[in-house]
Amino acid sequence: MKSKIINMAERIKDAEDKLLETLFASSPVADDGFSARVVRKLRRRQWLRRLILPTAAAIGGTIAFKPLAGLIATLSSLSALIPQDAVIATTGIIPHMQTVTLGVLLLAVCLLGMRLLEE
């Protein structure tokens, strides 16, 4: 059973409804390739945005590699300042400083890689 409300709403049309029907029934306006140009430009910008962040990250990583390597070397040499009594007592508990540094760097690379893969 159909509802009478829907049937009544479809049958009752005022002047605005008739005007809208004639507008939608008419042929589309010729845009002389404007829509295609806009879509092409938007797609180009989208690819450009997708490429800029990884490129900037690669350039920044290359620039920061040498200072980062120096920082890691400095941090490993600072581990020699820890008293030998503390090192001997905690040898089984705390891993070497180089292992900790490598683990932290690996974690940072993994987190950055996951963010890059999301996009």
Side-chain angles (χ1 to χ4, degrees):
M1 178 176 183
K2 289 187 176 180
S3 173
K4 291 183 179 181
I5 296 173
I6 294 174
N7 290 335
M8 292 299 293
E10 289 176 356
R11 290 183 185 165
I12 301 174
K13 295 181 182 175
D14 55 359
E16 287 87 15
D17 290 333
K18 291 178 184 177
L19 179 62
L20 283 174
E21 280 183 359
T22 57
L23 286 174
F24 289 131
S26 65
S27 63
V29 177
D31 63 355
D32 196 28
F34 175 76
S35 300
R37 288 192 307 264
V38 168
V39 169
R40 187 178 28 192
K41 186 177 266 191
L42 288 175
R43 285 185 183 156
R44 187 180 316 136
R45 284 185 184 176
Q46 184 180 19
W47 275 107
L48 186 65
R49 285 183 181 176
R50 286 181 183 172
L51 291 176
I52 284 177
L53 182 62
T55 305
I59 291 171
T62 346
I63 292 171
F65 181 74
K66 189 173 181 181
L68 186 62
L71 177 67
I72 291 171
T74 304
L75 288 177
S76 347
S77 65
L78 286 178
S79 66
L81 298 176
I82 299 174
Q84 291 296 323
D85 297 336
V87 173
I88 293 172
T90 61
T91 302
I93 300 170
I94 299 175
H96 295 289
M97 185 57 102
Q98 292 174 346
T99 308
V100 171
T101 307
L102 183 64
V104 168
L105 285 176
L106 185 62
L107 177 67
V109 167
C110 288
L111 291 175
L112 180 65
M114 286 176 31
R115 287 197 125 185
L116 290 175
L117 286 176
E118 285 178 1
E119 296 189 24

